[in-house]
Amino acid sequence: MKKEKPNILVVNDDGIDAPGIRALIGVMKTLGKVVVVAPDGPQSGMGHAITIAKPLRLDKVNIYPDVEMYKTSGTPADCVKLAVNQVFKGRKPDLCVSGINHGLNHSINVIYSGTMSAAVEGAIESIPSIGYSYDDFTYDADFSQCLPWVKKTAELVLEHGLPIGTLLNVNFPKVTTIKGIKICRQANAKYAEEFDERQDPHNRNYYWLTGKFQANDNGEDTDVWALDHHFASVVPVQFDLTAHHAITILNSWKFN
Amino acid sequence: MKKEKPNILVVNDDGIDAPGIRALIGVMKTLGKVVVVAPDGPQSGMGHAITIAKPLRLDKVNIYPDVEMYKTSGTPADCVKLAVNQVFKGRKPDLCVSGINHGLNHSINVIYSGTMSAAVEGAIESIPSIGYSYDDFTYDADFSQCLPWVKKTAELVLEHGLPIGTLLNVNFPKVTTIKGIKICRQANAKYAEEFDERQDPHNRNYYWLTGKFQANDNGEDTDVWALDHHFASVVPVQFDLTAHHAITILNSWKFN
């Protein structure tokens, strides 16, 4: 670990007043100098949205003592861009942590998750980055059991760095005892969406997105398996989306 | 190719009235039965955002003759979910095409792009899916030169299908003659963001996201190289974000 105190950027998608980010800030204060840049309201399901068609606000706030904090009108990915450019002004934080999300972001959820997109944006900026999520959607979620594992994973990343172009997706089960950490791959899963169709008072239809999670993957090396068996899952994630294995196949097609 | 006319879902992120989707609909009508589900306004930069905190509208519209069309208040990814569930009602379209985007979505842009996220959502739904983008941001972009290549790529995907878990990201250069198609990997690139800081009439700061594209990759197998050399680029994309190569490294760390 560096001799100087590491600079740690804390972001999230549930908003600056969420208990999950308070828990994360608490752990990070024991590891380094913390700067928080978080959305001014909930941004769940924002995926990797960025704000290009309207201007952004970035305002200093004073919520927790001894912590430099800013709230923004932007998305989770915007938070990281604003932090790097307007707060750190070109210096790189030594670590970017996102969360702790109220609700899991395992398997396919990584692609819809604002929490993970903020961590992905950190990785794109070449900052060692970790997203944390806990299996409790409620505002009153009790994160205390996650905290030793948050500290452990952050310490290890500060010590080792991460392979180029990768970040970590860490999920915690809601169980009496977390058994430990499993390094996993993302389970193959999807949502069987259903839309709840309703009528407004003017007789026009509207729809609420709902859906059942469907894991089609019995591998014991997946994040879904680890969480089901009371382990915290750690999945290394990459932002190069090229399906390299498909290139050879496509090269045999008659495109030209 | 199937003997029955294939069912083709057309989506985009620039909105249902964009010239790019009109061009795409024109080509798809020559290949099959077209259904359009598109946002009611621009959704660029929405990444893989989905709408979970508010209800969605889905309304039938009548813009082009002989084409079943719906506009929604949702994101590009929402369009695909709504199409599959509320319009196709569980039948799978044979092809999902997204675009043609006004502006390129090569290299790192795939992660920010609503156009590509709609195509990714199609692939998650096990529909062979393609995103199309053209190097002209303007409303008056002339897509005519892209159209033979749009047709060719769609025909090939209808004929061969795509490897499981993959989709295609197709980008067209703005040049006098497109030389042909190159199968590529996504170039390693990022944006050097800058925020344009301004003051509102009440003396509060606000920020516009701007930034310069920086390709740090001279590979002749990249989409950036292909486009620079007047080829249309075809990158196979995957939605499993696991960095499989990093698992062995992480397994050597002392997590437990």
Side-chain angles (χ1 to χ4, degrees):
Chain A
M1 209 175 297
K2 291 191 176 190
K3 279 168 194 168
E4 279 179 52
K5 262 189 150 183
N7 287 302
I8 303 176
L9 171 63
V10 178
V11 295
N12 81 341
D13 79 343
D14 289 317
I16 197 153
D17 58 352
I21 200 169
R22 186 172 65 220
L24 189 54
I25 292 167
V27 176
M28 293 305 139
K29 278 172 72 175
T30 69
L31 297 176
K33 187 180 170 300
V34 173
V35 174
V36 179
V37 181
D40 55 16
Q43 294 271 349
S44 295
M46 280 309 280
H48 213 100
I50 52 172
T51 304
I52 49 183
K54 58 185 180 188
L56 291 167
R57 295 286 184 178
L58 176 71
D59 293 304
K60 202 158 187 173
V61 292
N62 185 4
I63 303 181
Y64 305 118
D66 312 325
V67 178
E68 187 180 341
M69 295 186 81
Y70 303 84
K71 67 174 180 182
T72 92
S73 57
T75 65
D78 289 331
C79 288
V80 175
K81 288 180 186 289
L82 280 165
V84 168
N85 287 274
Q86 296 305 116
V87 181
F88 283 90
K89 296 202 179 288
R91 286 178 304 138
K92 294 263 179 226
D94 300 290
L95 180 68
C96 170
V97 290
S98 180
I100 302 172
N101 191 59
H102 293 237
L104 289 177
N105 282 313
H106 61 332
S107 66
I108 193 70
N109 296 291
V110 61
I111 217 163
Y112 302 111
S113 159
T115 301
M116 285 311 299
S117 292
V120 168
E121 190 63 37
I124 292 173
E125 292 285 353
S126 306
I127 306 164
S129 296
I130 314 173
Y132 294 104
S133 306
Y134 175 51
D135 188 14
D136 188 337
F137 280 100
T138 65
Y139 184 83
D140 294 328
D142 175 5
F143 294 92
S144 55
Q145 223 204 343
C146 313
L147 303 187
W149 304 103
V150 168
K151 186 168 183 177
K152 186 79 194 169
T153 46
E155 281 174 340
L156 283 166
V157 169
L158 281 167
E159 183 185 341
H160 294 287
L162 282 169
I164 287 175
T166 71
L167 59 147
L168 299 186
N169 180 17
V170 181
N171 282 271
F172 299 106
K174 189 178 178 182
V175 292
T176 31
T177 310
I178 294 175
K179 286 187 187 164
I181 279 177
K182 286 266 187 216
I183 311 302
C184 308
R185 64 175 173 86
Q186 168 186 335
N188 179 22
K190 69 179 285 273
Y191 282 87
E193 274 94 12
E194 285 167 23
F195 287 89
D196 186 350
E197 184 173 337
R198 303 186 181 190
Q199 283 202 318
D200 70 18
H202 314 291
N203 296 319
R204 287 182 62 211
N205 286 345
Y206 65 94
Y207 303 86
W208 284 101
L209 175 59
T210 65
K212 285 202 191 87
F213 180 72
Q214 289 185 318
N216 304 309
D217 191 336
N218 297 318
E220 300 192 357
D221 55 348
T222 68
D223 49 4
V224 168
W225 188 95
L227 291 161
D228 281 350
H229 290 78
H230 300 197
F231 290 92
S233 64
V234 174
V235 175
V237 167
Q238 63 189 13
F239 53 84
D240 176 355
L241 303 187
T242 308
H244 291 277
H245 65 285
I247 287 178
T248 348
I249 297 166
L250 294 175
N251 273 323
S252 72
W253 293 12
K254 291 203 188 332
F255 280 105
N256 296 301
Chain B
M1 211 175 297
K2 292 190 175 192
K3 279 167 193 167
E4 280 179 49
K5 260 187 153 185
N7 288 301
I8 303 176
L9 170 61
V10 179
V11 294
N12 81 341
D13 79 343
D14 289 317
I16 198 154
D17 58 352
I21 200 169
R22 186 171 67 222
L24 188 54
I25 292 166
V27 175
M28 293 303 139
K29 280 173 70 175
T30 70
L31 296 177
K33 188 180 168 304
V34 174
V35 174
V36 180
V37 181
D40 56 16
Q43 294 271 350
S44 294
M46 281 308 280
H48 213 100
I50 53 172
T51 304
I52 49 183
K54 57 184 182 188
L56 290 167
R57 296 288 186 178
L58 176 71
D59 294 303
K60 202 159 186 171
V61 292
N62 185 3
I63 303 181
Y64 306 119
D66 313 324
V67 179
E68 187 180 342
M69 295 185 80
Y70 303 83
K71 66 174 181 182
T72 94
S73 56
T75 64
D78 290 330
C79 288
V80 175
K81 289 180 185 289
L82 281 164
V84 167
N85 287 274
Q86 297 306 116
V87 181
F88 284 89
K89 296 203 180 287
R91 285 177 306 138
K92 294 264 180 226
D94 300 290
L95 181 68
C96 169
V97 290
S98 180
I100 302 172
N101 191 60
H102 294 237
L104 288 176
N105 283 312
H106 61 332
S107 65
I108 192 70
N109 296 290
V110 63
I111 217 162
Y112 302 110
S113 159
T115 302
M116 286 311 299
S117 292
V120 168
E121 190 63 36
I124 291 172
E125 292 285 354
S126 306
I127 307 163
S129 298
I130 314 172
Y132 294 105
S133 305
Y134 176 49
D135 188 15
D136 188 337
F137 279 99
T138 65
Y139 184 84
D140 294 328
D142 175 5
F143 294 91
S144 55
Q145 222 205 342
C146 313
L147 303 186
W149 303 104
V150 168
K151 185 167 184 178
K152 186 77 192 170
T153 46
E155 282 175 338
L156 283 166
V157 169
L158 282 166
E159 184 185 341
H160 294 287
L162 282 170
I164 287 174
T166 70
L167 60 144
L168 299 186
N169 180 16
V170 181
N171 282 272
F172 298 107
K174 189 177 179 183
V175 292
T176 32
T177 310
I178 294 175
K179 285 187 187 165
I181 278 176
K182 286 268 185 215
I183 312 302
C184 309
R185 64 176 173 85
Q186 169 186 333
N188 177 23
K190 68 179 285 274
Y191 282 87
E193 276 93 12
E194 287 167 21
F195 286 89
D196 186 351
E197 186 172 336
R198 302 185 183 191
Q199 283 202 319
D200 71 16
H202 313 291
N203 296 320
R204 287 183 62 213
N205 286 345
Y206 64 95
Y207 302 87
W208 285 100
L209 176 59
T210 65
K212 285 203 191 86
F213 179 73
Q214 289 185 317
N216 304 308
D217 190 336
N218 297 317
E220 299 192 357
D221 56 347
T222 68
D223 49 5
V224 169
W225 189 94
L227 292 161
D228 281 349
H229 291 78
H230 299 199
F231 289 93
S233 64
V234 174
V235 174
V237 166
Q238 63 189 14
F239 53 84
D240 175 357
L241 303 188
T242 308
H244 291 276
H245 65 285
I247 287 179
T248 349
I249 297 165
L250 293 176
N251 273 323
S252 73
W253 293 11
K254 293 201 187 332
F255 279 105
N256 295 302

